[in-house]
Amino acid sequence: MIPPEQREPFVAKINAPPGPSPLDATLIGMAKASPVARWIFDNGTWAFGATSPREFLRKTLDYNLRDGVAEKIRCPTLVCDAEDDLYLEGQADELFSHLTCKKTMLRFTKAEGAGAHCQMGAGRLAFARIFDWLDETFAAS
């Protein structure tokens, strides 16, 4: 969600030495102002074993499928994309373009009630389509 021209300076702030920083105060302020940001930072901090929102963000930088990693995936792969994904816009298409294995893209739309991140609000539809893909994939192997 960081504009491309601001990404490098933002990553430098994330990677700054431990200790209080202006970015820490900004992230804490974001969490206080937004329940969504609070959940992201609380859950991410817990899931990554981090001690602060900034450390959580730093740890996420190590997780990517760049530099040929996606191309090494060999099993059939399902990529899901929500039309109005608030957090990962464009990333499903980017991953899909790098996959060299058998691959399927499932697109979910706002009209279906499934256009939000992870198809929130349309779990039954999403799970039905995902399980159909699994049935077809396992039947073919």
Side-chain angles (χ1 to χ4, degrees), residues 16-125:
S21 80
L23 180 57
D24 293 316
T26 299
L27 297 175
I28 290 168
M30 289 171 63
K32 286 180 181 177
S34 164
V36 173
R38 183 171 49 255
W39 182 87
I40 290 169
F41 293 137
D42 286 351
N43 186 67
T45 298
W46 172 80
F48 279 78
T51 58
S52 70
R54 182 164 58 107
E55 183 184 9
F56 154 60
L57 292 177
R58 185 186 54 72
K59 287 183 172 196
T60 66
L61 295 174
D62 294 334
Y63 289 85
N64 65 72
L65 295 174
R66 287 186 215 103
D67 303 322
V69 174
E71 289 80 358
K72 293 178 183 176
I73 297 172
R74 295 288 167 240
C75 63
T77 301
L78 174 65
V79 179
C80 297
D81 187 32
E83 180 178 33
D84 290 333
D85 194 313
L86 179 63
Y87 308 108
L88 305 174
E89 183 181 355
Q91 290 191 17
D93 287 322
E94 184 176 348
L95 170 61
F96 195 80
S97 72
H98 284 272
L99 292 171
T100 57
C101 58
K102 182 178 180 191
K103 59 188 178 179
T104 302
M105 173 72 80
L106 283 184
R107 298 202 186 269
F108 293 89
T109 68
K110 184 166 57 174
E112 298 171 306
H117 179 72
C118 292
Q119 298 74 52
M120 282 297 158
R124 289 175 64 184
L125 171 69

Side-chain angles (χ1 to χ4, degrees), residues 123-137:
R124 289 175 64 184
L125 171 69
F127 295 145
R129 291 177 66 192
I130 292 166
F131 286 130
D132 285 348
W133 178 83
L134 286 167
D135 287 343
E136 293 166 13
T137 301

